[in-house]
Amino acid sequence: MLSKKVTDCNAHGQDSSYFLGWQAYEKNPYDDVHNPNGIIQMGLAENQLSFDILQTWLDNNPDATGFKKNGQSVFKELALFQDYHGLLSFKKALVNFMSEIRGNSVTFDPNNLVLTAGATSANETLIFCVANPGDAFLVPTPYYPGFDRDLKWRTGAEIVPIHCSSSNSFRITKSALEDAYQQAQKQDLKVKGILITNPSNPLGTSLNSHELDLLFNFISTKNMHLISDEVYSGTVFSSPSFISVMEVLKNKNLINSEVSKRVHIVCSLSKDLGLPGFRIGAIYSCNEEVVSAATKMSSFGLISSQTQYLLSEMLSDGKFTKSYLSENRRRLKHRHETLVKGLQKVGIRCLKGNAGLYCWVDMRHLLSSKTFQGEMELWKKIVYDVRLNISPGSSCHCSEPGWFRVCFANMSEQTLLFAMQRVKSFVESMSKKNSPPRHEHLRLSHARRTKSLPKWVFSLTSNQLEVGDLR
Ligand SMILES: Cc1ncc(COP(=O)(O)O)c(C=O)c1O
């Protein structure tokens, strides 16, 4: 009686360990007073570090929240019919904010902007605009688990992974691009483009100019689209600096070129301003047809007028945006360091990151076996015994078991330190379990000592050395 979309809900990806971890957290959420033994949520890329700055701005600008402009009510204007083009004042404020995040090295035209209900909707809308059901997009791994839902579920498009590896810190290489392309061809899929996340979720790194050059050469020669999801652009807290695809177009003198019509940016205020509940996203494209079609499609997920109004007031305040961005980056950097150093103390290393709300953590040495089954076993222990919800690399389609994404910006510093204590106890208990009992320890150290001795020593001193024990 129901449609295939309803009966085949697996394609939504809800059964991924990424979402299962959230469910476990929701059943037993940590609270320092009411549930101190609960699960700490470290699987949510949310930025709660700078709410006080937003709150202060709201307190100082009561007109913006009171639907007023210069003391006069704009309530009726906001409540009545909204054209799907969005409020021009908001679009202007948003493109200025986007430039500011990119160090004002590039400018954006508000006419090329399409407002959407978050980046989730922006990514899906772009896929609807450039791909037919069954067409494929190449996506570097590890990638944001939500992409299986956002890019594939309703559009019918396919994702073909570009496998990146720890051997070069998960950088995109020419051979990995070529391999993914060949793989798609083997599967008879038409490749419409590449979708990158820059800075990356879950790696917490930004793409370097070599990788961006590779990508531009690839899409130019293969006549493809490049979608750059830049929702973490405002979270870059240390060097190397972030390079937007818009800067690449400018530096390569490609603005208004044929290639520029195939390059599209996805933005959002969910991460950069920490407002995921407001559902503010956008597509930026220099392709008139894409802008026109996406604007029509945006009817299915508009941003409410009062949200646009509030944010246009906030983002037009240049003094506020400047100080918000620098203070937010400073706080993220501090948090990131706290997590990295805390993990380092117990022998756990992180990929060197410069952006994002999370670290990409190497726990390969804690696996019982170097397999994805081993990763799942460790993940279950961490969620249910250590009571920390982190995301296993397999949920991000990482090709190597043992990597985990650990978020650090959705909790208080105190909670993060408490989570570190739990990790410490866990690692200590693991090493105790793995170290042999005392008599066994003596036997093994004996064995180690004797192993390094030449064979003739045994025959001479076999009585004292009890060599029989070594077999
Ligand atoms: C890479 C990436 N793109 C898109 C989204 C969705 O963002 P939004 O809340 O704006 O829909 C997320 C959320 O985590 C993300 O990590």
Side-chain angles (χ1 to χ4, degrees):
M1 290 297 283
L2 298 173
S3 76
K4 259 189 160 172
K5 283 271 174 298
V6 174
T7 50
D8 183 20
C9 258
N10 278 347
H12 175 272
Q14 194 82 29
D15 52 354
S16 145
S17 49
Y18 177 74
F19 294 113
L20 295 181
W22 287 10
Q23 284 169 21
Y25 162 76
E26 270 153 28
K27 281 187 197 141
N28 182 21
Y30 168 80
D31 182 278
D32 56 350
V33 179
H34 300 110
N35 191 18
N37 291 323
I39 296 177
I40 299 175
Q41 174 60 297
M42 303 185 94
L44 184 61
E46 200 169 72
N47 182 7
Q48 296 183 15
L49 300 191
S50 299
F51 259 115
D52 57 315
I53 310 177
L54 298 179
Q55 191 59 56
T56 305
W57 187 90
L58 293 175
D59 294 345
N60 293 337
N61 294 275
D63 267 15
T65 44
F67 308 131
K68 286 187 183 154
K69 179 110 195 152
N70 303 324
Q72 299 291 310
S73 174
V74 286
F75 174 73
K76 193 172 172 191
E77 225 175 292
L78 295 176
L80 293 179
F81 176 73
Q82 189 203 134
D83 175 334
Y84 56 39
H85 289 91
L87 299 186
L88 188 57
S89 60
F90 176 54
K91 287 167 108 173
K92 281 184 178 163
L94 186 56
V95 291
N96 287 338
F97 188 59
M98 287 162 61
S99 295
E100 187 157 358
I101 286 177
R102 289 156 184 80
N104 291 311
S105 57
V106 279
T107 53
F108 295 90
D109 179 349
N111 294 316
N112 293 347
L113 197 72
V114 181
L115 299 177
T116 59
T120 302
S121 170
N123 277 318
E124 189 193 52
T125 302
L126 270 172
I127 300 293
F128 269 127
C129 287
V130 301
N132 291 311
D135 289 346
F137 258 78
L138 309 182
V139 182
T141 66
Y143 63 77
Y144 163 55
F147 282 156
D148 292 320
R149 171 198 62 200
D150 305 349
L151 312 186
K152 289 164 53 176
W153 186 37
R154 300 197 300 183
T155 63
E158 297 291 340
I159 292 177
V160 176
I162 302 169
H163 289 293
C164 300
S165 116
S166 63
S167 60
N168 68 343
S169 304
F170 297 96
R171 295 278 163 202
I172 300 168
T173 61
K174 192 167 180 220
S175 62
L177 276 173
E178 294 285 359
D179 285 353
Y181 188 72
Q182 301 289 329
Q183 193 55 42
Q185 290 199 316
K186 265 191 215 149
Q187 292 172 41
D188 244 352
L189 298 169
K190 184 169 184 188
V191 180
K192 279 306 193 63
I194 304 175
L195 187 141
I196 51 170
T197 306
N198 186 23
S200 160
N201 175 11
L203 297 176
T205 53
S206 51
L207 293 181
N208 60 34
S209 50
H210 174 68
E211 289 171 293
L212 288 161
D213 277 350
L214 274 178
L215 290 162
F216 270 81
N217 288 341
F218 202 78
I219 63 148
S220 303
T221 51
K222 298 249 184 331
N223 210 17
M224 285 180 188
H225 290 267
L226 177 64
I227 298 179
S228 181
D229 178 329
E230 300 188 355
V231 302
Y232 292 96
S233 52
T235 69
V236 182
F237 49 78
S238 63
S239 60
S241 55
F242 162 67
I243 311 167
S244 166
V245 287
M246 201 60 189
E247 284 168 83
V248 181
L249 284 174
K250 188 183 160 197
N251 296 341
K252 288 184 181 290
N253 271 329
L254 287 172
I255 299 227
N256 296 327
S257 68
E258 191 263 329
V259 173
S260 75
K261 306 221 175 322
R262 289 187 269 117
V263 176
H264 321 279
I265 299 177
V266 168
C267 324
S268 160
L269 297 183
S270 298
K271 316 294 175 183
D272 291 352
L273 216 53
L275 299 174
F278 275 26
R279 312 305 306 138
I280 309 151
I283 294 167
Y284 188 85
S285 172
C286 298
N287 186 318
E288 267 176 46
E289 277 178 284
V290 168
V291 171
S292 163
T295 304
K296 288 173 190 131
M297 289 182 202
S298 74
S299 293
F300 299 103
L302 293 174
I303 308 171
S304 77
S305 300
Q306 83 258 37
T307 303
Q308 291 189 48
Y309 176 67
L310 170 63
L311 269 298
S312 67
E313 293 293 298
M314 190 183 267
L315 297 184
S316 309
D317 182 344
K319 212 169 135 202
F320 161 78
T321 52
K322 210 175 160 63
S323 70
Y324 177 91
L325 285 172
S326 70
E327 178 58 16
N328 184 48
R329 284 178 179 136
R330 195 191 63 74
R331 293 180 187 187
L332 288 171
K333 186 176 166 61
H334 168 75
R335 263 316 169 79
H336 176 262
E337 273 170 17
T338 308
L339 177 61
V340 170
K341 284 188 182 150
L343 291 175
Q344 226 168 33
K345 274 190 194 150
V346 293
I348 299 177
R349 290 180 312 157
C350 300
L351 182 76
K352 192 169 183 292
N354 65 326
L357 310 170
Y358 34 75
C359 285
W360 187 238
V361 180
D362 181 0
M363 299 203 198
R364 285 177 293 178
H365 59 296
L366 298 176
L367 297 180
S368 58
S369 67
K370 289 190 170 34
T371 60
F372 285 110
Q373 196 189 337
E375 179 178 287
M376 270 300 108
E377 274 168 26
L378 178 61
W379 176 70
K380 281 184 187 155
K381 265 189 213 155
I382 296 175
V383 174
Y384 296 104
D385 300 345
V386 191
R387 281 158 288 119
L388 304 176
N389 178 37
I390 62 175
S391 310
S394 51
S395 69
C396 304
H397 299 265
C398 184
S399 11
E400 295 168 36
W403 292 86
F404 292 82
R405 189 192 72 169
V406 180
C407 296
F408 56 71
N410 61 320
M411 65 196 79
S412 68
E413 176 118 7
Q414 205 186 356
T415 306
L416 181 63
L417 294 173
F418 184 51
M420 294 290 95
Q421 268 178 31
R422 285 187 180 177
V423 175
K424 185 169 181 275
S425 314
F426 172 62
V427 173
E428 282 169 0
S429 74
M430 288 267 288
S431 53
K432 259 188 217 140
K433 237 184 243 164
N434 292 339
S435 65
R438 195 168 151 66
H439 68 279
E440 182 72 356
H441 179 78
L442 284 174
R443 189 181 73 80
L444 281 178
S445 67
H446 191 108
R448 247 178 258 125
R449 262 188 288 127
T450 51
K451 223 178 186 176
S452 60
L453 295 173
K455 263 190 187 152
W456 60 267
V457 175
F458 297 141
S459 54
L460 284 177
T461 59
S462 59
N463 286 344
Q464 291 131 310
L465 287 174
E466 298 165 358
V467 282
D469 273 353
L470 297 175
R471 279 179 212 120

